[in-house]
Amino acid sequence: MNNQPTTHRIHPHKFTLWMAIGSICMMFAGLTSAYIVKRNQDNFLEFDLPIIFWLSTIVIILSSVTMHLALKAYKARKTNKFKMFITATAALGALFAAMQAVGFLDLENHGIPLIGFKSNAAASFILVILGVHALHVLGGVVALVITFVKALFKKTNQYNNIPVEVLSTYWHFVGILWIYLLVFLIWLR
Amino acid sequence: MSNAAVLHSNIGTMHDDHSAHHEHHHQETFINKYVFSQDHKMIAKQFLITGMVWALIGGFLSVLFRMQLGFPEESFPWLEDLLGKWWAAGGRITAQGYYALVTTHGTVLVFFVLTAGLSGTFANFLIPLQIGARDMASPFMNMLSYWFFFAAGVIMLASIFVQTGPFSGGWTAYPPLSALGDASPGSKTGMDMWIISMALFVVSSLLGGLNYIATILNMRTKGMSMTRMPLTIWALLFTAILGVLSFPVLLSGFILLIFDRNFGTSFYLSDIFLASTNTALPNEGGSAILFQHLFWFLGHPEVYIIMLPAMGMVSEIISINSRKPIFGYLAMVGSLFAIATLAFLVWAHHMFVTGLNPFLGSIFALLTLLIALPSSIKVFNWLTTLWRGNIRLTPGMLFAIGFVSMFISGGLTGIWVGNATLDIHLHDTYFVIAHFHLVMGVASMFGMFAGVYHWFPKMYGRHMNNTLAYIHFWITLIGAYLIFWPMHYQGLAGMPRRYYDYSIWESFKQFSELNRFISIVVFITFIAQLLFLINFFYSIWKGRKATNLNPYGANTLEWTTPINPGHGNWPGEIPEVHRWAYDYGKDGKDFITQTTPVGEEESTEHH
């Protein structure tokens, strides 16, 4: 696959990823527009977001940096560096998801229940929207682990950039999606 | 082509030059050929046959509830033997059974038959064959798409047999019936299974849709520019785009519903007193209308997801069997685009009576009526393609023309119900039932029948029996009109849909004989569908063998493959395309296939 003739057409797998990104965007558009509709109705609780969501933002930005370095290392065929950065990215991704969970608990501890009959839709939305986003991050972590294991047991000297490029695009996307969600939630409270 | 070379290097060479590739020859076992197949043609057949099983089940459910509607005072003891007490105590369909029947009928027909069964079958089958690709962009995702659909089906089927019955709050699954387990028997386990099944179905649609789009845009053979694609492919492309953009929104609606059902949140619930448990619920601030917005944002595009593949196939079949180029190719593409765009802008016309702001209602009415424009462009072009054509009334062609007839009949009433003011009277009446069954239900079934009859020789290398097909066509056409036409009158008289027994209503008693008539026609039409099933399965093994590579004298690429193409479709190189798909009757030639290079003296229109 190294010596493919250069074509200006996008690789079908990359294209499929972009379509999937569009699809995921529609899902969050659905959720956030539901949020807007609810917000304009009575009884929508106002509260401050936990500080930890700011910290998790730093973590996910860092993970984007390590992902970028991992892709660079892969393209330069520096396998050890690649393995290191991909591990770091996966770890940061998992840390991000854990921090979001801590954020949920933090809200609960401050008397803002996210689920149950006493919950307000404003708080439940935080759980649903951020929870669905965290699941997408965890999905990326699983893909990173698979890529790492594949690199570990790689026997041939063949390199194919496409899977790593696809993964990297997805990873940056979930990062950008998080920043959108954070801005959205700060803006519309 | 490089993309095909990248993805399908393993399957493409499978059939050419066996001696050189002998050691690479991939052993086909029963499991990977018929079960976990990654060949798009086999996956298409899996979708088709699963869809047919669901059509049989969904159709049978309508036979059962038509028994209740046509014969509300009679009892059929054998029904209790067949279905048990929950469904038919004393041989009469119970109220809970009736609601379970109509709900499951709607869900199954809309999603499993006319979405998965229709676009699942023909997108899988036709896209690689007609654009000149060895397989889909990702055959593995394609296989997953089918198996997610299969799992969704198993769970939905199982829900029919649970003790409290399947979900019975209507196929739209509005809360609170869908959100509160205590609201009705079907809202308990039945709804849990309904929602799991539908979530799996959404995943299946997304995996399939992504693949269809990626394949159409990236895997076309040399020379197959977008404007040379057959209209089937255009229609399937827009269908997939609609699905990929609208199903995720339905999924977000379902996620919020799951939280309301299982985790006590109040997205959709507010101020509810439950008579069944005699309690007031603590949920506050929720809005059931929010679910309707999220549901219909999918729900309306879903109608076009069902329609467009049928439109595409009908365009192709009508052109081939009129021996004329399709009239207004670019107008056909443009109108598909317009319909797909408008599909996202009209969802609130399902919600005119929810207390929607009348100003918003008028905007949605305007946008809805705009759909009449591209729709009538399409009808005009089908009729002008038929005009003075050298028409061959094959079974596929008959069903294609039948589609146009149904689409006109049902489409005209769309102009009625699209008006907010008229809809206040017609909403949730039999008028709406008649409208959507004709325009999307029966019409799309006709498109599906047309597709199966037309492409059967390509699927199985044999022909279906024409006599049976003609009988099937005429009974179905006449039956469909006799069933749905009278419903317009019932609806205009205000007869609401989803009622269990109209004989106790003074205003609707007058229709009891009409209801009986409709029910009898339903039974006959249902039995006529068995002719199709018998014809289909008999012909797979015993049908007349196809001996002609191109039995219809068609231009498109699928007829350049061998009669029984293997995985990879073309034994040698993928053919190059030199012209559009509709050169029929050009320069005195009956047809010129897409693979024929343009001659020197050929007239210059359309290449």
Side-chain angles (χ1 to χ4, degrees):
Chain A
M1 305 258 165
N2 260 336
N3 304 319
Q4 274 302 313
T6 48
T7 51
H8 43 266
R9 273 201 183 163
I10 182 169
H11 189 281
H13 289 174
K14 282 188 188 172
F15 184 82
T16 308
L17 176 76
W18 282 108
M19 290 301 303
I21 286 175
S23 192
I24 296 170
C25 284
M26 283 306 288
M27 185 179 182
F28 282 93
L31 289 170
T32 48
S33 52
Y35 180 96
I36 294 171
V37 171
K38 291 261 11 141
R39 182 175 160 266
N40 293 330
Q41 292 170 348
D42 298 337
N43 190 23
F44 198 75
L45 192 68
E46 283 188 25
F47 55 87
D48 287 326
L49 290 179
I51 305 292
I52 194 154
F53 289 157
W54 293 99
L55 301 176
S56 65
T57 310
I58 297 169
V59 169
I60 206 162
I61 291 173
L62 270 178
S63 79
S64 253
V65 174
T66 53
M67 184 72 233
H68 180 72
L69 294 175
L71 179 64
K72 244 177 103 178
Y74 190 83
K75 282 183 173 166
R77 309 291 181 240
K78 291 178 180 157
T79 312
N80 285 333
K81 241 182 161 182
F82 168 70
K83 283 181 199 158
M84 186 184 83
F85 281 124
I86 206 116
T87 312
T89 313
L92 287 169
L95 178 63
F96 171 83
M99 288 169 93
Q100 302 297 82
V102 171
F104 300 148
L105 291 176
D106 190 48
L107 281 173
E108 289 269 356
N109 294 338
H110 283 83
I112 306 169
L114 303 174
I115 55 171
F117 287 125
K118 290 200 178 104
S119 65
N120 186 287
S124 309
F125 263 122
I126 302 276
L127 176 64
V128 172
I129 297 178
L130 272 53
V132 173
H133 174 260
L135 282 180
H136 280 83
V137 173
L138 287 176
V141 170
V142 171
L144 284 167
V145 170
I146 292 172
T147 313
F148 176 77
V149 172
K150 273 189 180 168
L152 208 60
F153 293 104
K154 198 169 166 60
K155 290 204 177 78
T156 58
N157 227 356
Q158 289 258 316
Y159 286 89
N160 181 3
N161 290 342
I162 300 292
V164 186
E165 283 177 18
V166 164
L167 185 54
S168 146
T169 309
Y170 177 78
W171 194 262
H172 297 312
F173 163 70
V174 288
I176 293 166
L177 181 61
W178 164 248
I179 291 169
Y180 157 73
L181 291 174
L182 187 68
V183 171
F184 175 86
L185 289 174
I186 292 166
W187 208 278
L188 296 171
R189 240 174 332 110
Chain B
M1 218 208 67
S2 72
N3 278 331
V6 171
L7 292 171
H8 302 142
S9 48
N10 54 339
I11 54 175
T13 53
M14 208 175 92
H15 297 272
D16 52 303
D17 200 6
H18 277 243
S19 53
H21 292 275
H22 200 69
E23 62 279 8
H24 299 299
H25 200 287
H26 163 80
Q27 201 61 47
E28 278 190 333
T29 63
F30 181 82
I31 297 288
N32 71 25
K33 183 166 181 206
Y34 293 108
V35 185
F36 296 107
S37 172
Q38 296 193 23
D39 181 352
H40 71 101
K41 297 185 291 300
M42 184 54 66
I43 295 172
K45 291 172 192 170
Q46 291 175 328
F47 268 108
L48 177 60
I49 290 173
T50 315
M52 280 160 67
V53 170
W54 276 112
L56 197 63
I57 296 172
F60 183 65
L61 299 179
S62 73
V63 167
L64 291 175
F65 66 69
R66 276 317 310 189
M67 288 181 80
Q68 161 61 22
L69 292 173
F71 306 91
E73 265 118 47
E74 316 252 333
S75 66
F76 309 89
W78 57 271
L79 266 184
E80 189 181 327
D81 297 337
L82 182 68
L83 302 170
K85 269 204 174 60
W86 194 89
W87 293 88
R92 201 186 155 194
I93 300 286
T94 58
Q96 58 189 7
Y98 176 81
Y99 292 118
L101 288 173
V102 290
T103 302
T104 314
H105 168 80
T107 311
V108 162
L109 263 297
V110 167
F111 292 110
F112 291 2
V113 179
L114 292 173
T115 304
L118 181 60
S119 66
T121 303
F122 290 101
N124 272 309
F125 192 72
L126 293 178
I127 290 173
L129 282 174
Q130 288 197 333
I131 65 169
R134 300 228 179 257
D135 205 314
M136 288 286 176
S138 169
F140 178 71
M141 262 168 72
N142 212 21
M143 178 181 79
L144 280 186
S145 162
Y146 173 74
W147 286 104
F148 270 100
F149 167 52
F150 185 83
V154 168
I155 292 170
M156 187 64 75
L157 188 65
S159 85
I160 297 177
F161 296 101
V162 297
Q163 195 184 7
T164 46
F167 180 53
S168 24
W171 78 280
T172 49
Y174 286 168
L177 278 181
S178 57
L180 297 171
D182 290 329
S184 77
S187 306
K188 296 181 172 57
T189 319
M191 181 59 197
D192 285 325
M193 295 173 82
W194 191 93
I195 207 164
I196 294 169
S197 168
M198 285 306 300
L200 291 173
F201 183 82
V202 170
V203 174
S204 157
S205 295
L206 291 175
L207 288 173
L210 291 174
N211 227 335
Y212 306 152
I213 301 170
T215 309
I216 295 174
L217 294 183
N218 295 297
M219 312 282 294
R220 298 189 310 278
T221 186
K222 197 172 175 212
M224 181 65 86
S225 60
M226 294 294 279
T227 49
R228 281 179 181 167
M229 296 196 309
L231 285 169
T232 29
I233 303 300
W234 273 109
L236 291 166
L237 173 66
F238 285 120
T239 305
I241 293 173
L242 283 175
V244 163
L245 294 180
S246 65
F247 270 113
V249 180
L250 179 73
L251 194 59
S252 11
F254 282 167
I255 292 170
L256 299 181
L257 184 60
I258 289 170
F259 271 81
D260 271 10
R261 261 184 85 73
N262 302 314
F263 304 114
T265 54
S266 307
F267 293 114
Y268 302 134
L269 302 171
S270 188
D271 308 313
I272 290 169
F273 183 84
L274 262 182
S276 60
T277 53
N278 207 23
T279 45
L281 298 186
N283 300 74
E284 250 184 88
S287 151
I289 305 293
L290 178 61
F291 180 83
Q292 295 198 22
H293 279 293
L294 291 171
F295 181 86
W296 286 112
F297 190 83
L298 156 94
H300 199 80
E302 170 64 24
V303 174
Y304 298 114
I305 290 172
I306 288 172
M307 281 304 302
L308 295 187
M311 287 178 165
M313 291 192 290
V314 161
S315 308
E316 179 73 12
I317 294 170
I318 285 186
S319 173
I320 290 174
N321 290 299
S322 304
R323 311 311 293 160
K324 274 182 63 192
I326 190 80
F327 186 90
Y329 174 85
L330 279 179
M332 286 303 231
V333 175
S335 55
L336 284 173
F337 175 75
I339 291 175
T341 311
L342 286 170
F344 286 108
L345 304 172
V346 298
W347 78 91
H349 71 210
H350 298 270
M351 301 166 60
F352 282 146
V353 297
T354 56
L356 191 76
N357 183 331
F359 176 70
L360 261 179
S362 65
I363 290 175
F364 276 104
L366 175 74
L367 288 164
T368 303
L369 297 185
L370 275 181
I371 297 182
L373 284 174
S375 303
S376 28
I377 290 173
K378 298 202 81 72
V379 169
F380 180 82
N381 288 357
W382 287 320
L383 298 180
T384 37
T385 304
L386 287 167
W387 177 254
R388 295 192 164 180
N390 187 5
I391 294 176
R392 300 187 307 202
L393 292 174
T394 62
M397 179 67 161
L398 280 178
F399 273 102
I401 297 171
F403 166 93
V404 178
S405 164
M406 292 294 160
F407 184 66
I408 296 172
S409 308
L412 286 174
T413 52
I415 300 174
W416 294 44
V417 289
N419 278 289
T421 38
L422 276 174
D423 188 66
I424 290 169
H425 177 66
L426 296 172
H427 187 88
D428 262 354
T429 66
Y430 267 68
F431 193 89
V432 175
I433 302 237
H435 160 70
F436 75 75
H437 273 90
L438 285 179
V439 78
M440 73 170 223
V442 182
S444 298
M445 279 310 288
F446 270 53
M448 192 160 162
F449 285 133
V452 173
Y453 281 117
H454 185 81
W455 277 287
F456 191 85
K458 191 76 265 167
M459 286 183 176
Y460 295 101
R462 287 171 189 270
H463 290 280
M464 287 175 81
N465 180 298
N466 274 3
T467 313
L468 276 180
Y470 289 133
I471 299 171
H472 171 227
F473 169 75
W474 285 109
I475 297 180
T476 310
L477 181 86
I478 297 167
Y481 272 123
L482 289 182
I483 292 164
F484 296 112
W485 200 268
M487 289 186 187
H488 291 102
Y489 302 110
Q490 297 180 325
L492 285 174
M495 191 168 125
R497 63 193 282 202
R498 290 188 173 129
Y499 280 29
Y500 168 59
D501 183 354
Y502 295 92
S503 61
I504 51 172
W505 296 81
E506 205 50 54
S507 3
F508 310 124
K509 262 185 189 161
Q510 50 168 330
F511 292 124
S512 62
E513 286 181 6
L514 190 55
N515 274 333
R516 188 163 310 155
F517 170 77
I518 293 175
S519 293
I520 291 169
V521 183
V522 167
F523 306 151
I524 297 170
T525 314
F526 180 74
I527 289 167
Q529 304 315 304
L530 302 181
L531 291 181
F532 169 76
L533 290 179
I534 292 167
N535 194 354
F536 182 86
F537 286 106
Y538 180 83
S539 304
I540 290 179
W541 288 283
K542 302 274 170 156
R544 184 166 55 87
K545 273 195 174 164
T547 47
N548 188 347
L549 266 187
N550 189 356
Y552 305 108
N555 291 342
T556 39
L557 287 179
E558 75 269 32
W559 306 106
T560 61
T561 59
I563 288 177
N564 287 305
H567 196 181
N569 298 337
W570 286 269
E573 289 283 296
I574 301 179
E576 189 180 339
V577 165
H578 300 279
R579 60 178 72 233
W580 75 330
Y582 298 101
D583 272 340
Y584 293 104
K586 188 186 184 192
D587 296 342
K589 285 191 189 122
D590 184 31
F591 67 103
I592 311 174
T593 58
Q594 284 192 278
T595 51
T596 314
V598 179
E600 297 220 338
E601 287 118 57
E602 206 174 318
S603 47
T604 49
E605 46 183 339
H606 297 304
H607 292 147

